[in-house]
Amino acid sequence: MQAPRSLLQATLAIAAALASSVAFAHPKLVSSTPADKAEVSAPQKIELKFSEDLMTKFSGANLVMTGMPGMADHAPMKVAAKVSGSDDPKTMVITPAQPLVPGTYRVDWRAVSSDTHPINGNIAFTVK
């Protein structure tokens, strides 16, 4: 027996809506502390807040010093830091191993949510 046309159309519409909601479930950076392009005192931790819950096993970040006062030719240098989740599953925390010295920094991040599609980005800030 063949299903009525309206039932088939309704089923297809629901399936399409569910598929599109999964396809658009990529995490987006909502905010950061310190904020992108901010000038701050040395932060003890850097927090990145995303629009989706993160899969911490597949998400991560690198902290890079990109400039040092008085050293115009300072090459980017990776800074030792621990990357972890927080009580909020949408937040990634980067904790430097040592206090940050004055200079410019960049956080290169990779966020993965339930759709398993990695999204990359970065923020930059200056420690005064």
Side-chain angles (χ1 to χ4, degrees), residues 48-98:
L48 305 177
K49 295 185 188 247
F50 293 89
S51 60
E52 304 284 331
D53 289 359
L54 300 177
M55 295 179 71
T56 54
K57 182 177 180 179
F58 302 111
S59 301
N62 286 313
L63 179 59
V64 179
M65 183 177 209
T66 57
M68 183 178 278
M71 294 184 70
D73 295 330
H74 185 278
M77 178 177 66
K78 187 173 177 182
V79 177
K82 177 183 174 192
V83 180
S84 61
S86 77
D87 292 339
D88 176 2
K90 296 179 181 178
T91 301
M92 181 186 304
V93 179
I94 300 98
T95 306
Q98 301 290 322

Side-chain angles (χ1 to χ4, degrees), residues 100-115:
L100 298 180
V101 299
T104 56
Y105 294 85
R106 184 181 70 230
V107 176
D108 297 320
W109 54 263
R110 180 185 67 260
V112 180
S113 66
S114 61
D115 75 347

